Amino acid sequence: MKFFLALGFLVVCCSALSTKQQRRFPDDFLIGTATASYQIEGAWNEDGKGENIWDYLTHNNPAAVKDGSTGDIAANSYHNVERDVEMMRELGLDVYRFSLSWSRILPSGFANEINEAGVDYYNRLINEMLKYGITPMITLFHWDLPQKLQELGGFANPLASIWFEDYARVVYTNFGDRVKHWITINEPREICYEGYGSVHKAPILNATAIGTYLCAKNVLIAHAKAYHLYNNEFKDKQGGQCGITISANSFRPFTDSEEDHAATELRRQAEFGLYAEPIFSEEGGFPKELVEIVAEKSAKEGYPWSRIPEFTDEERELVRGASDFFGVNHYTGFLVSANEQISDRPTIPILPDITVGNYIPPEWPQSASYWLTLSPDSIYDTLTYLQKRYNDPIFYITENGWSSPPTNGLLDDDRIRYYRAALESVLDCLDAGIRLKGYMAWSLMDNFEWLEGYTERFGLYEVDFSDPARPRTPRKSAFVYKEILRSRVIDHDYEPNTTVMTIDEGH
Ligand SMILES: *[C@@H]1O[C@H](CO)[C@@H](O)[C@H](O)[C@H]1NC(C)=O
Ligand SMILES: *[C@@H]1O[C@H](CO)[C@@H](O)[C@H](O)[C@H]1NC(C)=O
């Protein structure tokens, strides 16, 4: 009897072990976390920083933010370099993705005057990370446009691509000796559709019908100019790589009907194809089907031109292929139907030119954010689609995460469930041969969640926003993430001892 029990135990234990060994994150696969400047830095007017569009919006239109809050102090990261890097060391991160505040480096927005105190802050952060072997990945622009540039039209002005290129030159010159991973622009969809085409992000222009497409073209050209600048003037000496991050969620047909498949594909083009197609497709330019739909509608509406602008041949070639990798911010998934009335459940809004139905199965767990559910295998679904459509590019998942209400505190089993499921889906991608090189959890710590203020928390570390020093405390999910980083496997049974967070030397 004893013998059989022991044998049974042996079998269970060793088959579990061998599965784990098959499902290991490779040593050169970069696992990390991500943040963005306006959401964490604070110090909005310190040491010469200029005003940006989020300073302007939160100060002049507080009603636009759910809790009337601002990022004036946010997580106070400007004054917490050592603690922020200490958290990265506690987790044992390979990589940390953060963004630079354009107006902290160039207060006027233009490259006529460099704010040395701003440059110094990022130097201290980069150097502290490098001291402990943590790889910096820098986003040049994560939505906090200098307000002066917005007053000149922001990304509705074609000159924005030149302003951005000037800024990029300052950034590569000052940090490129140590930074080898560059992302030019974070999430064109959220900049253009949410900021210019509607009212979900600063500058809340609500230039429906026009704003999204105008911005899309200018943002893509801005990205391409910054990419070619790096390639032509810096890459030889500095040896880094430069790409863009686009938000891409999973869209799957509600039924297997031809209509639902077509609706799904159209939705993908409206959500991320608008930004991905000009860079990553073989032909370049905006997605054809979308271009046709908008052109036809524009004519009917009496416009003398299509609301979706064309690229000149020269612009098309500038943008086409202009990225060393495809950065994907991925959070969730949706089922898409040709029937618009399929569900009245609120969802992330879709371009008004596209009329398709949206469905979220009730059994998909819901986060604190209305648009974010745990959609099974959504990473695998998204990356296999992008791999096929865009000819097998190199990918990084540059954001992925889960929100909870502020009252949830430190025991975040819902977040742990989400990350374990997401990382299993990442391993599925690696098994399938997708060239995915890294994964960054959103986010290292709680932060200012744009128009939701502090009502939604995404942090592995909780931040106490009632304390002026903004102390950070690891959530249970931080301990679980740390163990995944340490062991390079996902152990679904691991129960951390959350009493003390330590730094494991030698990681
Ligand atoms: C945005 O514009 C649309 C019309 O294009 C209008 O229906 C809507 O009310 C506007 N939203 C706000 C918040 O102004
Ligand atoms: C957790 O760790 C603390 C500190 O090392 C220790 O005192 C405690 O006994 C541990 N708890 C469990 C359940 O292992």
Side-chain angles (χ1 to χ4, degrees):
M1 189 63 192
K2 252 190 196 154
F3 171 77
F4 283 112
L5 270 181
L7 195 69
F9 173 75
L10 213 73
V11 169
V12 169
C13 128
C14 296
S15 66
L17 260 183
S18 70
T19 333
K20 274 181 202 164
Q21 272 161 6
Q22 283 159 9
R23 301 277 285 179
R24 205 173 172 280
F25 292 99
D27 289 336
D28 61 354
F29 183 84
L30 296 175
I31 305 180
T33 63
T35 60
S37 49
Y38 186 76
Q39 294 180 275
I40 62 165
E41 284 181 6
W44 81 276
N45 61 352
E46 287 181 44
D47 297 344
K49 176 181 161 295
E51 186 185 38
N52 65 45
I53 60 173
W54 281 93
D55 297 321
Y56 183 87
L57 175 73
T58 57
H59 295 159
N60 294 286
N61 190 359
V65 184
K66 194 166 183 180
D67 55 4
S69 64
T70 73
D72 287 359
I73 302 172
N76 201 26
S77 279
Y78 188 72
H79 296 293
N80 272 296
V81 168
E82 282 178 18
R83 175 60 180 136
D84 284 358
V85 177
E86 186 178 58
M87 292 190 288
M88 299 173 209
R89 296 168 62 206
E90 288 171 352
L91 293 172
L93 299 189
D94 302 323
V95 59
Y96 175 61
R97 171 180 177 239
F98 62 100
S99 82
L100 307 178
S101 161
W102 186 337
S103 68
R104 193 180 293 290
I105 294 173
L106 302 178
S108 73
F110 298 112
N112 62 318
E113 180 212 340
I114 297 173
N115 178 29
E116 291 304 334
V119 172
D120 181 58
Y121 164 61
Y122 296 116
N123 274 333
R124 282 185 284 125
L125 178 60
I126 292 164
N127 293 343
E128 183 77 2
M129 286 168 59
L130 290 177
K131 202 156 103 187
Y132 300 105
I134 300 156
T135 299
M137 178 180 272
I138 289 190
T139 310
L140 273 70
F141 179 68
H142 197 130
W143 307 354
D144 41 0
L145 192 76
Q147 175 61 19
K148 290 217 170 83
L149 302 187
Q150 194 64 55
E151 284 159 15
L152 298 171
F155 285 107
N157 188 335
L159 293 176
S161 64
I162 293 172
W163 308 332
F164 185 67
E165 186 184 15
D166 293 343
Y167 163 57
R169 180 178 278 105
V170 171
V171 168
Y172 301 146
T173 303
N174 277 277
F175 309 114
D177 56 334
R178 288 151 293 154
V179 176
K180 307 302 167 191
H181 294 79
W182 297 106
I183 292 166
T184 55
I185 286 172
N186 180 73
E187 294 186 354
R189 176 195 175 275
E190 282 61 24
I191 297 167
C192 294
Y193 173 62
E194 298 199 338
Y196 288 70
S198 65
V199 292
H200 305 290
K201 294 282 180 314
I204 56 172
L205 282 191
N206 205 27
T208 47
I210 299 285
T212 306
Y213 305 126
L214 187 53
C215 168
K217 181 179 168 180
N218 293 329
V219 159
L220 286 164
I221 291 174
H223 154 76
K225 283 190 174 161
Y227 171 81
H228 290 296
L229 171 69
Y230 188 75
N231 249 10
N232 297 337
E233 295 182 29
F234 294 89
K235 195 171 191 162
D236 274 356
K237 235 182 306 153
Q238 298 183 346
Q241 46 180 299
C242 182
I244 188 169
T245 279
I246 294 171
S247 60
N249 288 312
S250 154
F251 301 99
R252 287 173 273 201
F254 179 61
T255 72
D256 213 22
S257 73
E258 220 171 281
E259 291 78 11
D260 284 0
H261 276 277
T264 303
E265 183 49 31
L266 187 56
R267 173 124 186 232
R268 291 187 188 117
Q269 297 314 313
E271 298 275 8
F272 56 75
L274 185 60
Y275 314 98
E277 207 84 357
I279 301 173
F280 296 103
S281 74
E282 239 158 78
E283 293 164 40
F286 286 130
K288 279 201 198 59
E289 196 183 352
L290 191 63
V291 167
E292 278 164 26
I293 290 171
V294 179
E296 200 173 303
K297 279 188 145 192
S298 305
K300 275 198 196 127
E301 290 158 355
Y303 288 91
W305 27 259
S306 175
R307 291 186 276 99
I308 193 162
E310 284 176 25
F311 289 96
T312 64
D313 289 347
E314 198 186 330
E315 288 167 341
R316 178 188 292 248
E317 286 312 300
L318 183 81
V319 173
R320 197 172 64 94
S323 200
D324 295 333
F325 58 85
F326 193 140
V328 176
N329 285 356
H330 175 93
Y331 285 87
T332 191
F334 304 93
L335 302 184
V336 183
S337 166
N339 170 13
E340 240 191 302
Q341 306 305 323
I342 196 75
S343 161
D344 52 10
R345 186 163 166 178
T347 176
I348 51 172
I350 308 165
L351 278 178
D353 284 316
I354 301 303
T355 48
V356 298
N358 190 76
Y359 186 75
I360 301 170
E363 65 272 20
W364 291 1
Q366 177 72 49
S367 72
S369 311
Y370 73 93
W371 52 272
L372 172 50
T373 60
L374 196 173
S375 168
D377 306 318
S378 65
I379 290 180
Y380 179 77
D381 174 68
T382 305
L383 290 199
T384 47
Y385 173 86
L386 295 175
Q387 179 201 33
K388 262 198 222 100
R389 179 145 190 122
Y390 299 124
N391 196 25
D392 199 20
I394 288 173
F395 292 104
Y396 288 91
I397 293 175
T398 45
E399 285 180 28
N400 177 250
W402 181 258
S403 65
S404 45
T407 46
N408 263 28
L410 299 174
L411 293 177
D412 54 347
D413 287 306
D414 55 340
R415 181 170 290 103
I416 292 167
R417 174 182 56 181
Y418 178 89
Y419 276 127
R420 282 177 174 157
L423 287 163
E424 288 289 354
S425 202
V426 164
L427 287 170
D428 290 342
C429 293
L430 296 177
D431 284 350
I434 292 172
R435 299 198 293 158
L436 175 58
K437 300 297 177 192
Y439 171 94
M440 277 140 264
W442 183 274
S443 179
L444 177 60
M445 67 192 115
D446 289 344
N447 53 58
F448 177 80
E449 178 55 19
W450 311 114
L451 295 185
E452 309 307 321
Y454 299 101
T455 66
E456 295 174 8
R457 304 296 176 85
F458 279 88
L460 292 168
Y461 283 72
E462 181 184 65
V463 175
D464 181 356
F465 293 103
S466 67
D467 184 323
R470 301 298 194 264
R472 292 99 158 93
T473 312
R475 291 200 167 96
K476 188 176 169 185
S477 57
F479 291 88
V480 170
Y481 203 55
K482 174 189 174 83
E483 176 62 12
I484 291 170
L485 269 144
R486 189 197 65 76
S487 64
R488 311 297 285 187
V489 299
I490 308 164
D491 176 355
H492 290 263
D493 299 324
Y494 176 70
E495 266 297 319
N497 179 341
T498 58
T499 329
V500 208
M501 181 56 99
T502 55
I503 295 171
D504 303 330
E505 300 298 342
H507 174 81

